[in-house]
Amino acid sequence: MSRSTPAALDYLGSEAEDFHKPQHLYLKPMAIIKITVVLPRMTIPGQSISNWDLMERLKRAIDPIQMDSIKVRESNIDSVIFEAELLSLGIMQKTMKILDGFSMKVAGFSEPLKVKAKEAKLDFPSRHDWDMWFMKNKMDEMKPGERPDTVYLARIPVKWFTDKNSQEQPSERRVRVAMEAFGAVRAVDIPCCDPLRAQMNSKISGIQQKGFGLGQDVFFEAYVQYMEYKGFATAMDALRNRKWAKRIDGRFFQAMIKVDFDRTRHLSESIIAKRAEERRRIENERLRKEEEELNERRKEELRIRKEEEEKDRRREDRERKRREKREQERIVEEQKKRIELEKQEEQHRAQVCRRLEGVRLLKFLFEKIEQREERKKRKEEEKLKEELLKIKSLENEPMQKEDALRQALLQQREIRMRERLKEKMKENKEKAKEKGKSKEEKRHRRKKRHDTSSSSSSSSSSSDSDSSSSSDSSHHHRRRKRRSKESRRRATSPESSKRRHHRHEKKKNKKR
C-alpha cells in the first residue's frame, strides 16, 4: 500500500492510502469516537431533552473541527450515547481531548451535563476470531474454502466495479484485479451476477443480505478466495477499520464496506458441488416448467384451433342453409312467375277467343241483318214492279199514273238513301273496331298483369256496346220502314188520290 495522491490527501486526509490506482480506489482509516452525555436525575415529571440540541452543542464545542457524521447510538434516562466520525485519527485525538470531561449547561437542568469521549470499538474480526472459529468447526484445512482463505465483502457500491459495456452488473474481473493487491486470488464469486442464486437455498447461494426489492440493487456482495493464507491475512489486516473511497469524474465517494472472513465455506468444493447440483435442479425445473407451459400453450392453441374450426363449420352450415333457403325461395318464386305467366297467357287467349267470338257474332248479326234487308229489298222491288204494272194498267188515267210514278220515284230515292246510310254505318263500325283493337293492344303492352274480372268486364262491355249499337241501328231501320209503309199506304189510298187530283186541278186553273 502506498501514500495517496495530493488530490486524495486534500479530500480524504493525510492518512489515506492507495488501494488500486487504475481503478482510483483508496483506503481511509475510520476515526470514530463514542461520546457519552451523562444526564442528571430528572425531578420534574415529563421533563425531556432534545438529542438534536445536544448534537448542536457538541458541534459548537469542537468548532472549528468538523464532524463527518454524528448519530445517536443509544438513548436512555441516564445517558445519551453518540457516535461521531472524523476526518483522520489525529483530528480524532484532538476531539477526544476537547470533549472528554466537557460539561455544558442545558435549560431545564440545574446541574451541568458531563461529557465523556473515547475511541469507539469497531466490529471487525481479529486473527484470534477466525482461528477459534475454524478450530471449533473442525474443518479440513487442506481443502480450499474450509480454511481461513476467503474474504467476505458486503455493501459494495455496484457502480464502483462495473464495466463500460455493462452498467447493471458488477464485474468479477475488476474485483479480482483490485483484491490481488494483497495476494494471489484463487476465485471470486459475486452471487448477484448469477440469476439462479435467488432461487437457491440461502445456505449455499451466498446471499446473506437482501436488497430493497425495487429493481437493480445499489450494493452487492463478493467472496474473494486467496491462494495462500498470507494473502488472506494481509487483506484482512489492510482492510481492518478502513473506509473505501473512489474517485469518479473528479469527485470522491466513500463507502463503509463490511469485511469479514467467510463463515459459510462458500467457495469450498462441497458447497460448489451443491450449487452445481442445485443449478441443474433449477434448470431441469425451469425446463420442465417451460415444457409444461409449452404443452399448455399447445393445448390452448389446439383448443382455440378446434373452436375456430367449429365456428367455421357452424358458419359454413349457416351459409349452406341460407344458400339452400335462397335457392328454394328462388325456385318457388320462379314457379310463381311461371304460373302467373301461364295465367296471363290463358287470360290473353281467353280474351282473344272472346274477342273473336264477338267478331264472329257481330259478323253473323250483320249477315242476318243484310239478309233481312235483302229480303225486304226484294219484296219492295216486287212491290214496285207490281205498282209499275198497275201504273201501266192505268195509262188511261193520267193523274193516277203520274201519282204512281212520283210515288215510285220517292220509294227508289228512299231505298238509295237507306243503302248509303247502311254503308256509312258499316264504315263507322269498322273504324270503331280498328280503334278498339289498337287500344286493346296498347293496354296489353302497358299492363301485362291484369285481373280476369277486368278482362271479363271489358269483354262484356264491348259486347254490350256492339249489341246496343246493332239494336239502335235495327230500331232506326224499323222506324224508317214504318214511315215508308205509311207513306205508300197514304199514297195508294183513295183519299190521297182525290187530294192529289184536287191539287192538280187547282194548278191547271191557275195556269189558265
Side-chain angles (χ1 to χ4, degrees):
M1 304 292 290
S2 61
R3 303 295 295 177
S4 60
T5 59
L9 291 174
D10 294 340
Y11 180 77
L12 301 175
S14 59
E15 298 171 354
E17 299 176 351
D18 289 330
F19 180 11
H20 190 259
K21 275 189 177 182
Q23 298 188 40
H24 305 289
L25 291 172
Y26 305 93
L27 292 176
K28 172 192 170 184
M30 289 188 290
I32 300 175
I33 60 174
K34 179 181 178 182
I35 304 171
T36 305
V37 179
V38 181
L39 301 177
R41 185 178 297 276
M42 297 182 184
T43 58
I44 302 172
Q47 189 177 9
S48 63
I49 189 170
S50 172
N51 294 335
W52 182 263
D53 185 32
L54 293 177
M55 283 192 290
E56 292 298 322
R57 288 175 181 273
L58 292 173
K59 288 179 182 179
R60 287 196 298 270
I62 63 173
D63 190 58
I65 298 173
Q66 298 291 328
M67 295 181 182
D68 285 355
S69 65
I70 183 171
K71 59 184 177 180
V72 178
R73 196 69 175 175
E74 185 180 350
S75 178
N76 52 46
I77 196 171
D78 296 326
S79 63
V80 179
I81 300 173
F82 296 95
E83 193 174 83
E85 184 179 356
L86 300 166
L87 182 61
S88 64
L89 296 176
I91 295 174
M92 181 184 70
Q93 295 296 330
K94 291 180 182 180
T95 304
M96 285 193 297
K97 287 180 181 179
I98 295 171
L99 293 179
D100 192 25
F102 178 74
S103 61
M104 52 185 175
K105 292 285 290 182
V106 178
F109 293 91
S110 58
E111 299 178 4
L113 277 63
K114 294 182 179 181
V115 179
K116 296 179 181 180
K118 63 178 181 179
E119 185 177 357
K121 291 183 179 180
L122 300 177
D123 185 15
F124 195 90
S126 62
R127 187 186 300 268
H128 176 73
D129 293 334
W130 63 69
D131 286 341
M132 291 300 295
W133 191 88
F134 281 100
M135 187 183 298
K136 183 179 179 180
N137 287 279
K138 296 180 181 181
M139 296 183 184
D140 189 359
E141 294 185 359
M142 299 301 293
K143 295 180 180 180
E146 297 186 8
R147 60 192 178 193
D149 60 356
T150 305
V151 178
Y152 169 71
L153 304 173
R155 296 197 294 270
I156 308 172
V158 173
K159 290 186 177 181
W160 287 17
F161 293 94
T162 54
D163 288 329
K164 293 181 180 180
N165 298 330
S166 175
Q167 297 294 328
E168 296 180 356
Q169 295 290 342
S171 173
E172 292 183 357
R173 181 187 61 80
R174 294 176 70 88
V175 175
R176 176 190 289 271
V177 170
M179 296 302 290
E180 281 180 347
F182 309 113
V185 176
R186 182 191 299 274
V188 175
D189 182 61
I190 300 176
C192 68
C193 293
D194 186 2
L196 298 180
R197 295 292 179 89
Q199 303 177 31
M200 295 182 184
N201 189 354
S202 60
K203 293 181 179 180
I204 62 174
S205 65
I207 299 175
Q208 299 185 25
Q209 296 186 0
K210 301 293 183 180
F212 295 102
L214 300 175
Q216 181 65 32
D217 292 334
V218 180
F219 303 101
F220 70 94
E221 302 170 278
Y223 293 86
V224 182
Q225 188 180 57
Y226 286 92
M227 298 286 291
E228 298 178 357
Y229 174 76
K230 182 181 178 182
F232 167 77
T234 304
M236 293 296 288
D237 291 338
L239 299 176
R240 185 188 308 276
N241 298 336
R242 293 289 190 275
K243 287 182 71 174
W244 293 28
K246 183 176 176 65
R247 182 165 59 87
I248 301 174
D249 297 332
R251 299 174 61 188
F252 285 91
F253 298 90
Q254 300 182 41
M256 187 77 74
I257 307 298
K258 180 182 178 181
V259 181
D260 196 0
F261 64 91
D262 180 24
R263 303 170 188 263
T264 61
R265 300 183 298 169
H266 181 72
L267 294 177
S268 64
E269 294 178 357
S270 60
I271 300 298
I272 291 173
K274 287 181 180 180
R275 273 200 300 274
E277 182 65 25
E278 187 71 11
R279 182 176 286 103
R280 284 193 296 272
R281 185 189 67 78
I282 293 172
E283 287 289 339
N284 293 332
E285 185 69 18
R286 182 180 61 80
L287 292 174
R288 185 183 64 79
K289 287 183 178 180
E290 288 180 356
E291 188 175 357
E292 288 179 356
E293 290 177 358
L294 182 61
N295 292 332
E296 290 293 331
R297 198 179 302 113
R298 287 176 179 173
K299 288 180 181 178
E300 185 68 19
E301 290 176 356
L302 183 61
R303 183 183 64 79
I304 293 171
R305 193 182 302 113
K306 286 183 178 179
E307 289 180 356
E308 292 293 332
E309 290 176 356
E310 183 67 20
K311 288 181 181 178
D312 293 339
R313 187 185 61 78
R314 289 199 296 268
R315 185 169 56 253
E316 289 177 358
D317 290 341
R318 289 195 298 271
E319 290 292 333
R320 180 177 53 78
K321 289 179 180 178
R322 280 198 289 268
R323 286 196 299 271
E324 291 177 355
K325 185 178 180 181
R326 285 197 295 269
E327 185 67 21
Q328 291 177 358
E329 290 177 353
R330 187 183 63 79
I331 293 170
V332 171
E333 188 67 23
E334 288 180 355
Q335 289 178 354
K336 287 182 179 179
K337 288 181 180 179
R338 189 173 62 254
I339 293 169
E340 187 69 23
L341 288 173
E342 290 176 356
K343 285 183 179 179
Q344 290 179 2
E345 289 177 357
E346 289 178 358
Q347 291 174 2
H348 183 66
R349 285 196 296 270
Q351 188 177 1
V352 171
C353 291
R354 285 194 297 272
R355 193 180 295 114
L356 292 173
E357 288 177 358
V359 170
R360 284 196 294 270
L361 181 60
L362 289 173
K363 188 176 180 181
F364 177 74
L365 291 173
F366 284 131
E367 288 177 355
K368 288 289 185 180
I369 292 168
E370 287 177 356
Q371 289 175 4
R372 189 170 56 187
E373 291 295 327
E374 287 293 332
R375 285 195 300 272
K376 288 180 181 180
K377 185 178 178 181
R378 283 196 298 271
K379 287 180 181 180
E380 289 176 356
E381 288 178 353
E382 289 175 357
K383 287 181 180 181
L384 284 173
K385 287 179 181 180
E386 289 177 357
E387 289 178 356
L388 288 173
L389 291 173
K390 287 179 181 181
I391 290 168
K392 287 179 180 180
S393 64
L394 295 174
E395 289 179 355
N396 297 323
E397 297 178 1
M399 292 297 294
Q400 293 180 357
K401 186 178 180 180
E402 185 179 355
D403 292 335
L405 287 171
R406 190 181 293 111
Q407 188 68 28
L409 290 172
L410 289 172
Q411 288 179 358
Q412 288 178 0
R413 186 177 179 184
E414 185 178 357
I415 289 167
R416 284 195 299 271
M417 289 176 67
R418 192 180 294 120
E419 288 177 356
R420 283 197 298 271
L421 183 61
K422 286 180 181 179
E423 289 176 358
K424 286 183 180 180
M425 288 176 67
K426 284 182 180 181
E427 290 177 358
N428 292 331
K429 286 180 181 179
E430 288 177 358
K431 289 180 181 179
K433 285 181 183 179
E434 290 177 358
K435 287 182 180 180
K437 287 181 181 180
S438 62
K439 287 181 181 180
E440 286 294 330
E441 289 176 357
K442 288 180 181 179
R443 191 181 297 110
H444 184 68
R445 290 193 196 101
R446 290 174 188 170
K447 297 180 181 179
K448 291 184 178 180
R449 295 180 181 179
H450 55 83
D451 299 329
T452 56
S453 61
S454 62
S455 63
S456 61
S457 63
S458 63
S459 61
S460 61
S461 63
S462 62
S463 61
D464 292 339
S465 63
D466 294 337
S467 61
S468 63
S469 62
S470 61
S471 62
D472 291 339
S473 61
S474 61
H475 181 66
H476 182 67
H477 182 67
R478 284 196 297 272
R479 286 176 64 187
R480 291 178 65 83
K481 191 174 180 181
R482 281 198 300 272
R483 288 176 183 174
S484 61
K485 283 182 179 180
E486 287 178 358
S487 61
R488 286 196 300 272
R489 184 171 54 79
R490 289 172 184 172
T492 54
S493 64
E495 293 178 356
S496 61
S497 61
K498 287 179 180 180
R499 283 195 295 272
R500 284 195 298 273
H501 181 70
H502 183 66
R503 284 196 299 273
H504 186 65
E505 288 293 331
K506 281 183 178 181
K507 286 179 181 180
K508 283 181 178 181
N509 293 326
K510 285 180 181 180
K511 287 178 180 181
R512 289 174 183 173

PDB file of all heavy atoms in Angstrom, residues 11 14 21 74 78 98-99 121 158 172 212 280 287 375 385 405 447 482 511:
ATOM      1  N   TYR A  11      -8.801  15.816   0.106  1.00  0.00           N
ATOM      2  CA  TYR A  11     -10.195  15.484   0.427  1.00  0.00           C
ATOM      3  C   TYR A  11     -10.288  14.444   1.538  1.00  0.00           C
ATOM      4  O   TYR A  11     -11.081  14.586   2.466  1.00  0.00           O
ATOM      5  CB  TYR A  11     -10.903  14.958  -0.827  1.00  0.00           C
ATOM      6  CG  TYR A  11     -12.346  14.585  -0.573  1.00  0.00           C
ATOM      7  CD1 TYR A  11     -13.328  15.554  -0.473  1.00  0.00           C
ATOM      8  CD2 TYR A  11     -12.717  13.248  -0.396  1.00  0.00           C
ATOM      9  CE1 TYR A  11     -14.635  15.217  -0.216  1.00  0.00           C
ATOM     10  CE2 TYR A  11     -14.022  12.899  -0.139  1.00  0.00           C
ATOM     11  CZ  TYR A  11     -14.982  13.888  -0.052  1.00  0.00           C
ATOM     12  OH  TYR A  11     -16.282  13.547   0.210  1.00  0.00           O
ATOM     13  N   SER A  14      -4.575  13.183   5.308  1.00  0.00           N
ATOM     14  CA  SER A  14      -3.192  12.747   5.106  1.00  0.00           C
ATOM     15  C   SER A  14      -2.999  11.263   5.348  1.00  0.00           C
ATOM     16  O   SER A  14      -1.990  10.683   4.932  1.00  0.00           O
ATOM     17  CB  SER A  14      -2.262  13.537   6.047  1.00  0.00           C
ATOM     18  OG  SER A  14      -2.650  13.327   7.405  1.00  0.00           O
ATOM     19  N   LYS A  21      -4.727   2.029  -7.891  1.00  0.00           N
ATOM     20  CA  LYS A  21      -4.669   3.281  -8.641  1.00  0.00           C
ATOM     21  C   LYS A  21      -5.423   3.226  -9.966  1.00  0.00           C
ATOM     22  O   LYS A  21      -6.137   4.172 -10.312  1.00  0.00           O
ATOM     23  CB  LYS A  21      -3.206   3.660  -8.885  1.00  0.00           C
ATOM     24  CG  LYS A  21      -2.575   4.407  -7.738  1.00  0.00           C
ATOM     25  CD  LYS A  21      -1.208   4.920  -8.146  1.00  0.00           C
ATOM     26  CE  LYS A  21      -0.611   5.749  -7.009  1.00  0.00           C
ATOM     27  NZ  LYS A  21       0.705   6.303  -7.399  1.00  0.00           N
ATOM     28  N   GLU A  74     -27.427   5.305  21.322  1.00  0.00           N
ATOM     29  CA  GLU A  74     -28.271   4.780  22.399  1.00  0.00           C
ATOM     30  C   GLU A  74     -28.781   5.955  23.213  1.00  0.00           C
ATOM     31  O   GLU A  74     -28.056   6.935  23.433  1.00  0.00           O
ATOM     32  CB  GLU A  74     -27.483   3.810  23.276  1.00  0.00           C
ATOM     33  CG  GLU A  74     -28.315   3.129  24.345  1.00  0.00           C
ATOM     34  CD  GLU A  74     -27.489   2.179  25.204  1.00  0.00           C
ATOM     35  OE1 GLU A  74     -26.319   1.910  24.831  1.00  0.00           O
ATOM     36  OE2 GLU A  74     -28.002   1.726  26.236  1.00  0.00           O
ATOM     37  N   ASP A  78     -30.604   7.746  31.751  1.00  0.00           N
ATOM     38  CA  ASP A  78     -29.369   8.138  32.434  1.00  0.00           C
ATOM     39  C   ASP A  78     -28.378   8.823  31.509  1.00  0.00           C
ATOM     40  O   ASP A  78     -27.600   9.681  31.955  1.00  0.00           O
ATOM     41  CB  ASP A  78     -28.697   6.906  33.057  1.00  0.00           C
ATOM     42  CG  ASP A  78     -29.574   6.289  34.146  1.00  0.00           C
ATOM     43  OD1 ASP A  78     -30.264   7.060  34.839  1.00  0.00           O
ATOM     44  OD2 ASP A  78     -29.576   5.049  34.265  1.00  0.00           O
ATOM     45  N   ILE A  98     -10.818  17.420  23.689  1.00  0.00           N
ATOM     46  CA  ILE A  98     -11.726  18.546  23.937  1.00  0.00           C
ATOM     47  C   ILE A  98     -12.986  18.080  24.654  1.00  0.00           C
ATOM     48  O   ILE A  98     -13.455  18.718  25.618  1.00  0.00           O
ATOM     49  CB  ILE A  98     -12.081  19.245  22.615  1.00  0.00           C
ATOM     50  CG1 ILE A  98     -10.832  19.885  22.000  1.00  0.00           C
ATOM     51  CG2 ILE A  98     -13.168  20.294  22.824  1.00  0.00           C
ATOM     52  CD1 ILE A  98     -11.041  20.408  20.592  1.00  0.00           C
ATOM     53  N   LEU A  99     -13.557  16.970  24.213  1.00  0.00           N
ATOM     54  CA  LEU A  99     -14.870  16.566  24.716  1.00  0.00           C
ATOM     55  C   LEU A  99     -14.785  15.751  26.008  1.00  0.00           C
ATOM     56  O   LEU A  99     -15.755  15.750  26.788  1.00  0.00           O
ATOM     57  CB  LEU A  99     -15.604  15.754  23.642  1.00  0.00           C
ATOM     58  CG  LEU A  99     -16.024  16.516  22.378  1.00  0.00           C
ATOM     59  CD1 LEU A  99     -16.713  15.581  21.389  1.00  0.00           C
ATOM     60  CD2 LEU A  99     -16.955  17.674  22.730  1.00  0.00           C
ATOM     61  N   LYS A 121     -15.084   1.128  19.631  1.00  0.00           N
ATOM     62  CA  LYS A 121     -14.631  -0.194  19.217  1.00  0.00           C
ATOM     63  C   LYS A 121     -15.465  -0.638  18.013  1.00  0.00           C
ATOM     64  O   LYS A 121     -16.687  -0.682  18.078  1.00  0.00           O
ATOM     65  CB  LYS A 121     -14.793  -1.187  20.362  1.00  0.00           C
ATOM     66  CG  LYS A 121     -13.848  -0.933  21.521  1.00  0.00           C
ATOM     67  CD  LYS A 121     -14.009  -2.008  22.588  1.00  0.00           C
ATOM     68  CE  LYS A 121     -13.032  -1.770  23.744  1.00  0.00           C
ATOM     69  NZ  LYS A 121     -13.170  -2.815  24.794  1.00  0.00           N
ATOM     70  N   VAL A 158     -22.329  -0.907  -6.502  1.00  0.00           N
ATOM     71  CA  VAL A 158     -22.277  -1.607  -7.790  1.00  0.00           C
ATOM     72  C   VAL A 158     -21.524  -0.780  -8.826  1.00  0.00           C
ATOM     73  O   VAL A 158     -20.727  -1.309  -9.614  1.00  0.00           O
ATOM     74  CB  VAL A 158     -23.716  -1.922  -8.275  1.00  0.00           C
ATOM     75  CG1 VAL A 158     -23.698  -2.497  -9.688  1.00  0.00           C
ATOM     76  CG2 VAL A 158     -24.388  -2.898  -7.325  1.00  0.00           C
ATOM     77  N   GLU A 172     -16.645  -9.366 -11.967  1.00  0.00           N
ATOM     78  CA  GLU A 172     -15.763 -10.180 -11.128  1.00  0.00           C
ATOM     79  C   GLU A 172     -14.298  -9.902 -11.460  1.00  0.00           C
ATOM     80  O   GLU A 172     -13.428  -9.957 -10.574  1.00  0.00           O
ATOM     81  CB  GLU A 172     -16.091 -11.659 -11.327  1.00  0.00           C
ATOM     82  CG  GLU A 172     -17.453 -12.066 -10.789  1.00  0.00           C
ATOM     83  CD  GLU A 172     -17.700 -13.555 -10.948  1.00  0.00           C
ATOM     84  OE1 GLU A 172     -16.819 -14.234 -11.538  1.00  0.00           O
ATOM     85  OE2 GLU A 172     -18.753 -14.041 -10.489  1.00  0.00           O
ATOM     86  N   PHE A 212     -33.459  -4.147  -1.584  1.00  0.00           N
ATOM     87  CA  PHE A 212     -34.735  -3.478  -1.326  1.00  0.00           C
ATOM     88  C   PHE A 212     -35.870  -4.073  -2.141  1.00  0.00           C
ATOM     89  O   PHE A 212     -37.027  -3.791  -1.893  1.00  0.00           O
ATOM     90  CB  PHE A 212     -34.614  -1.975  -1.634  1.00  0.00           C
ATOM     91  CG  PHE A 212     -33.659  -1.269  -0.714  1.00  0.00           C
ATOM     92  CD1 PHE A 212     -32.386  -0.947  -1.142  1.00  0.00           C
ATOM     93  CD2 PHE A 212     -34.031  -0.948   0.574  1.00  0.00           C
ATOM     94  CE1 PHE A 212     -31.509  -0.294  -0.302  1.00  0.00           C
ATOM     95  CE2 PHE A 212     -33.155  -0.295   1.423  1.00  0.00           C
ATOM     96  CZ  PHE A 212     -31.883   0.029   0.987  1.00  0.00           C
ATOM     97  N   ARG A 280     -28.432 -27.415 -11.580  1.00  0.00           N
ATOM     98  CA  ARG A 280     -29.010 -28.398 -12.509  1.00  0.00           C
ATOM     99  C   ARG A 280     -30.475 -28.662 -12.180  1.00  0.00           C
ATOM    100  O   ARG A 280     -31.321 -28.762 -13.079  1.00  0.00           O
ATOM    101  CB  ARG A 280     -28.201 -29.699 -12.452  1.00  0.00           C
ATOM    102  CG  ARG A 280     -26.878 -29.632 -13.188  1.00  0.00           C
ATOM    103  CD  ARG A 280     -26.289 -31.021 -13.369  1.00  0.00           C
ATOM    104  NE  ARG A 280     -25.958 -31.656 -12.092  1.00  0.00           N
ATOM    105  CZ  ARG A 280     -24.789 -31.524 -11.466  1.00  0.00           C
ATOM    106  NH1 ARG A 280     -23.835 -30.769 -12.000  1.00  0.00           N
ATOM    107  NH2 ARG A 280     -24.568 -32.135 -10.318  1.00  0.00           N
ATOM    108  N   LEU A 287     -36.768 -26.086 -17.202  1.00  0.00           N
ATOM    109  CA  LEU A 287     -37.085 -26.744 -18.470  1.00  0.00           C
ATOM    110  C   LEU A 287     -38.418 -27.478 -18.389  1.00  0.00           C
ATOM    111  O   LEU A 287     -39.211 -27.462 -19.339  1.00  0.00           O
ATOM    112  CB  LEU A 287     -35.965 -27.721 -18.847  1.00  0.00           C
ATOM    113  CG  LEU A 287     -34.613 -27.085 -19.206  1.00  0.00           C
ATOM    114  CD1 LEU A 287     -33.565 -28.167 -19.417  1.00  0.00           C
ATOM    115  CD2 LEU A 287     -34.738 -26.226 -20.461  1.00  0.00           C
ATOM    116  N   ARG A 375    -134.028  -9.324 -98.223  1.00  0.00           N
ATOM    117  CA  ARG A 375    -135.393  -9.837 -98.414  1.00  0.00           C
ATOM    118  C   ARG A 375    -136.394  -8.687 -98.515  1.00  0.00           C
ATOM    119  O   ARG A 375    -137.300  -8.687 -99.362  1.00  0.00           O
ATOM    120  CB  ARG A 375    -135.767 -10.763 -97.251  1.00  0.00           C
ATOM    121  CG  ARG A 375    -135.082 -12.126 -97.330  1.00  0.00           C
ATOM    122  CD  ARG A 375    -135.761 -13.117 -96.398  1.00  0.00           C
ATOM    123  NE  ARG A 375    -135.723 -12.706 -95.011  1.00  0.00           N
ATOM    124  CZ  ARG A 375    -134.736 -13.004 -94.190  1.00  0.00           C
ATOM    125  NH1 ARG A 375    -133.701 -13.714 -94.631  1.00  0.00           N
ATOM    126  NH2 ARG A 375    -134.777 -12.599 -92.949  1.00  0.00           N
ATOM    127  N   LYS A 385    -142.475  -3.359-108.797  1.00  0.00           N
ATOM    128  CA  LYS A 385    -142.848  -3.937-110.094  1.00  0.00           C
ATOM    129  C   LYS A 385    -144.357  -4.050-110.211  1.00  0.00           C
ATOM    130  O   LYS A 385    -144.947  -3.757-111.268  1.00  0.00           O
ATOM    131  CB  LYS A 385    -142.204  -5.315-110.255  1.00  0.00           C
ATOM    132  CG  LYS A 385    -140.715  -5.247-110.506  1.00  0.00           C
ATOM    133  CD  LYS A 385    -140.130  -6.653-110.632  1.00  0.00           C
ATOM    134  CE  LYS A 385    -138.633  -6.605-110.862  1.00  0.00           C
ATOM    135  NZ  LYS A 385    -138.050  -7.960-110.975  1.00  0.00           N
ATOM    136  N   LEU A 405    -146.128   7.204-110.526  1.00  0.00           N
ATOM    137  CA  LEU A 405    -144.707   7.373-110.874  1.00  0.00           C
ATOM    138  C   LEU A 405    -143.966   8.156-109.794  1.00  0.00           C
ATOM    139  O   LEU A 405    -142.837   7.834-109.416  1.00  0.00           O
ATOM    140  CB  LEU A 405    -144.593   8.087-112.227  1.00  0.00           C
ATOM    141  CG  LEU A 405    -144.948   7.257-113.462  1.00  0.00           C
ATOM    142  CD1 LEU A 405    -145.003   8.144-114.695  1.00  0.00           C
ATOM    143  CD2 LEU A 405    -143.927   6.147-113.655  1.00  0.00           C
ATOM    144  N   LYS A 447     -99.988  -2.988 -69.495  1.00  0.00           N
ATOM    145  CA  LYS A 447    -100.303  -3.820 -68.323  1.00  0.00           C
ATOM    146  C   LYS A 447    -100.239  -5.279 -68.733  1.00  0.00           C
ATOM    147  O   LYS A 447    -101.113  -5.774 -69.432  1.00  0.00           O
ATOM    148  CB  LYS A 447    -101.700  -3.510 -67.791  1.00  0.00           C
ATOM    149  CG  LYS A 447    -101.839  -2.077 -67.296  1.00  0.00           C
ATOM    150  CD  LYS A 447    -103.226  -1.833 -66.779  1.00  0.00           C
ATOM    151  CE  LYS A 447    -103.407  -0.415 -66.295  1.00  0.00           C
ATOM    152  NZ  LYS A 447    -104.755  -0.158 -65.809  1.00  0.00           N
ATOM    153  N   ARG A 482    -141.366   1.758 -91.246  1.00  0.00           N
ATOM    154  CA  ARG A 482    -142.769   2.053 -90.937  1.00  0.00           C
ATOM    155  C   ARG A 482    -143.218   3.346 -91.616  1.00  0.00           C
ATOM    156  O   ARG A 482    -144.328   3.459 -92.127  1.00  0.00           O
ATOM    157  CB  ARG A 482    -142.943   2.173 -89.408  1.00  0.00           C
ATOM    158  CG  ARG A 482    -143.002   0.802 -88.718  1.00  0.00           C
ATOM    159  CD  ARG A 482    -143.602   0.937 -87.317  1.00  0.00           C
ATOM    160  NE  ARG A 482    -142.833   1.824 -86.468  1.00  0.00           N
ATOM    161  CZ  ARG A 482    -141.815   1.431 -85.718  1.00  0.00           C
ATOM    162  NH1 ARG A 482    -141.442   0.150 -85.728  1.00  0.00           N
ATOM    163  NH2 ARG A 482    -141.181   2.301 -84.967  1.00  0.00           N
ATOM    164  N   LYS A 511    -152.925  28.228-114.115  1.00  0.00           N
ATOM    165  CA  LYS A 511    -152.200  28.429-115.363  1.00  0.00           C
ATOM    166  C   LYS A 511    -153.101  29.075-116.406  1.00  0.00           C
ATOM    167  O   LYS A 511    -152.667  29.893-117.200  1.00  0.00           O
ATOM    168  CB  LYS A 511    -151.656  27.096-115.890  1.00  0.00           C
ATOM    169  CG  LYS A 511    -150.477  26.590-115.073  1.00  0.00           C
ATOM    170  CD  LYS A 511    -150.009  25.256-115.617  1.00  0.00           C
ATOM    171  CE  LYS A 511    -148.859  24.729-114.829  1.00  0.00           C
ATOM    172  NZ  LYS A 511    -148.373  23.439-115.342  1.00  0.00           N
TER     173      LYS A 511
END
